[in-house]
Amino acid sequence: MEELYQQYVQIVYRFLVSACRDPRLAEDLTQETFPRAWEY
């Protein structure tokens, strides 16, 4: 899981910044994304 996180965290973050135009919100959303992905 750590390897997947390291591989994709910057990609997810950049996508979220471009979508919401708020770096702080994008950071929060990025941190919420991965635990939810592990649930599925």
Side-chain angles (χ1 to χ4, degrees):
M1 284 188 234
E2 179 66 27
E3 185 177 324
L4 287 174
Y5 175 82
Q6 293 300 324
Q7 185 175 354
Y8 290 104
V9 68
Q10 287 299 320
I11 295 168
V12 171
Y13 174 75
R14 280 185 254 137
F15 169 77
L16 290 169
V17 167
S18 69
C20 69
R21 305 281 186 211
D22 182 344
R24 294 184 118 184
L25 177 58
E27 188 174 329
D28 289 343
L29 293 172
T30 299
Q31 294 303 313
E32 292 177 15
T33 297
F34 289 93
R36 288 182 186 222
W38 304 150
E39 291 175 5
Y40 294 101

